[in-house]
Amino acid sequence: MLSQETINIIKSTVPVLEEHGKTITTVFYKNMFEANPELLNIFNHANQSQGRQQNALASMVYAAAANIDNLAAVLPAVVQVAHKHKSLNIMPEHYPIVGYHLLGAIKEVLGEAATPEIIGAWGEAYEVIASVFIGIEKEMYDKAVQTDGGWKTFKEFTIADKVVESDVITSFYLKPVDGQPLPSYKPGQYITVRTAIAGEEYIVNRQYSLSQAPTEDVYRISVKREDEFQPYGKMSVNLHREMHVGDTVEVSIPAGDFHLDVESTKPVTLISGGVGITPMMSMYETIAKTTPERPVAFLHSARTRQHQAFDARLRTLNESMPNSTYEVLYSDEGDGFINREFLAKNVIEGSDIYVCGPTPFMRAVIKNLYAMGIAEENINFEFFGPAEELELVEA
């Protein structure tokens, strides 16, 4: 428990964090990686180079400060980050390193304004926040180990098959080297894939949604080939060009809090853009397999037919489900975009809605859903990478 004095001091720093948060987290990561370069084997380099990790941490620190007297308010965000941490093998021993460099960055950026009282209060607050993360992550690690076929950190998998789905998306079927049955997962969850890449000093980690209904012998990920000259393209280009059937990668146990509510009987609307189709495939296949009578609408947007993955599979599933609809728009072919009119026509009334795709796509879709009067609790969405601020207001 924090004293009221500590809470008051932390609250007083909220305006400062709002103004300087990104600068603090940028300095934090720079200093931490210089002092502890081995951590670059854990963190996503692309998110660092694009500033996404810095933005996400700045938002998290700001939210923690603003709610320091009611940390339960930020618990959903903590759980989301804890899933990411588990999938990357973040351990309790990493937290003192983070705390040391975070406080150091606050001092460095704020200078004399970072009084001993402020640094002391933030030191106390960090210990409390870190203990929450450590406790939640311990439960996740323990559950992973106790699950049939589960494991704690990373496990070696073989690429059992490699299937081209479109001009830009290829599926990889991954089987455990030890031949053990795989633990199930919640449709919509992801795994972390990590491997050494020729010419790269550090191990590269990327998180990919599982793109099919759960099976006990194989995980499928469907990877978009990104620009090879961009930091975020290293893993995808390596998988597409250099990794073949029989090669091995390391894989984390499935994680993530964006997933289909398989216990619900409510209708479902799945809305995806581009490679955001991957977690939706897992959800749609699961519905088709387990509750085919459940009303579901699958709404997808792609640039062209050549970019569209799984179209034949989706049409087959749709035909097999009596209460299903499947609609796809090709924006570069004159179909337009998933706008409010399209949503009003195709979203199932009273449904649970799941949205995934590029950030601008999700921002536009979710704004329109809100403007249609759909309650926030009925809209679920997933970011690829660190959670970002959508800056959602009524459209």
Side-chain angles (χ1 to χ4, degrees):
M1 296 293 292
L2 295 173
S3 69
Q4 189 59 50
E5 180 182 4
T6 296
I7 289 172
N8 291 341
I9 293 173
I10 296 297
K11 286 275 193 180
S12 74
T13 66
V14 169
V16 177
L17 292 173
E18 186 173 21
E19 181 178 356
H20 300 290
K22 174 69 180 301
T23 303
I24 291 170
T25 56
T26 300
V27 170
F28 156 73
Y29 279 117
K30 174 180 176 292
N31 292 346
M32 184 174 70
F33 290 141
E34 286 179 354
N36 303 90
E38 71 279 1
L39 294 180
L40 288 167
N41 289 310
I42 298 176
F43 284 80
N44 184 313
H45 308 166
N47 290 332
Q48 290 291 322
S49 66
Q50 294 174 288
R52 297 177 68 189
Q53 194 72 58
Q54 295 89 331
N55 285 333
L57 179 59
S59 296
M60 191 67 177
V61 171
Y62 174 83
N67 295 279
I68 195 66
D69 52 348
N70 179 29
L71 287 176
V74 297
L75 187 58
V78 170
V79 171
Q80 183 182 59
V81 173
H83 274 284
K84 299 281 188 183
H85 285 179
K86 187 196 77 167
S87 77
L88 291 168
N89 198 21
I90 300 294
M91 292 294 173
E93 56 265 28
H94 293 130
Y95 281 91
I97 298 172
V98 171
Y100 175 80
H101 289 288
L102 183 59
L103 294 179
I106 293 173
K107 288 182 184 179
E108 183 174 336
V109 173
L110 300 187
E112 294 182 359
T115 63
E117 291 77 17
I118 287 176
I119 296 301
W122 263 107
E124 289 182 44
Y126 177 79
E127 290 297 325
V128 170
I129 295 167
S131 69
V132 172
F133 273 104
I134 290 170
I136 292 173
E137 288 158 18
K138 181 180 185 304
E139 291 181 7
M140 290 180 175
Y141 282 121
D142 289 346
K143 183 177 180 180
V145 173
Q146 294 161 8
T147 300
D148 289 344
W151 65 97
K152 184 174 182 179
T153 56
F154 282 88
K155 184 173 178 174
E156 196 172 35
F157 278 64
T158 300
I159 298 175
D161 201 3
K162 183 176 177 180
V163 178
V164 175
E165 307 287 3
S166 75
D167 282 0
V168 293
I169 295 175
T170 293
S171 288
F172 297 81
Y173 291 78
L174 308 175
K175 289 190 174 184
V177 170
D178 63 13
Q180 294 298 307
L182 291 171
S184 188
Y185 54 87
K186 297 175 181 179
Q189 290 190 304
Y190 57 82
I191 56 175
T192 295
V193 175
R194 76 176 188 180
T195 188
I197 296 178
E200 294 296 321
E201 184 176 0
Y202 300 102
I203 293 171
V204 179
N205 301 272
R206 292 293 185 274
Q207 291 161 333
Y208 294 109
S209 298
L210 292 156
S211 62
Q212 67 176 8
T215 71
E216 67 175 18
D217 64 336
V218 65
Y219 287 155
R220 184 180 76 182
I221 58 172
S222 302
V223 180
K224 178 186 176 186
R225 186 185 67 251
E226 301 288 358
D227 185 343
E228 63 181 297
F229 300 107
Q230 297 295 331
Y232 54 78
K234 291 177 182 177
M235 177 68 90
S236 70
V237 170
N238 185 66
L239 286 170
H240 276 252
R241 290 185 181 176
E242 307 298 333
M243 304 298 288
H244 306 288
V245 173
D247 291 339
T248 59
V249 294
E250 291 185 300
V251 172
S252 71
I253 197 166
D257 62 348
F258 174 77
H259 52 78
L260 178 70
D261 184 354
V262 295
E263 302 297 328
S264 174
T265 59
K266 289 177 63 177
V268 173
T269 300
L270 308 175
I271 309 172
S272 57
V275 76
I277 197 171
T278 53
M280 305 308 188
M281 285 301 300
S282 180
M283 296 183 192
Y284 199 52
E285 287 192 358
T286 299
I287 294 170
K289 183 178 179 180
T290 61
T291 54
E293 302 288 331
R294 189 174 182 181
V296 55
F298 198 127
L299 314 178
H300 183 64
S301 176
R303 289 182 56 194
T304 66
R305 295 176 195 275
Q306 289 72 35
H307 281 69
Q308 164 71 339
F310 307 113
D311 185 65
R313 173 67 170 157
L314 285 165
R315 294 187 186 280
T316 299
L317 290 172
N318 181 58
E319 290 174 2
S320 72
M321 302 161 68
N323 300 309
S324 171
T325 59
Y326 166 55
E327 300 288 342
V328 58
L329 299 180
Y330 299 111
S331 59
D332 287 3
E333 298 179 16
D335 290 347
F337 298 91
I338 295 181
N339 56 24
R340 192 181 309 179
E341 181 182 0
F342 180 85
L343 292 169
K345 180 180 177 181
N346 291 286
V347 170
I348 302 176
E349 185 176 355
S351 62
D352 285 331
I353 302 171
Y354 299 84
V355 185
C356 188
T359 299
F361 169 85
M362 292 200 299
R363 182 181 294 117
V365 167
I366 296 171
K367 279 185 176 182
N368 282 322
L369 292 172
Y370 285 169
M372 291 162 55
I374 296 174
E376 183 177 349
E377 59 265 25
N378 293 332
I379 304 172
N380 310 277
F381 55 90
E382 170 78 321
F383 286 101
F384 289 142
E388 303 173 29
E389 293 295 330
L390 279 182
E391 299 176 357
L392 294 170
V393 295
E394 289 190 6

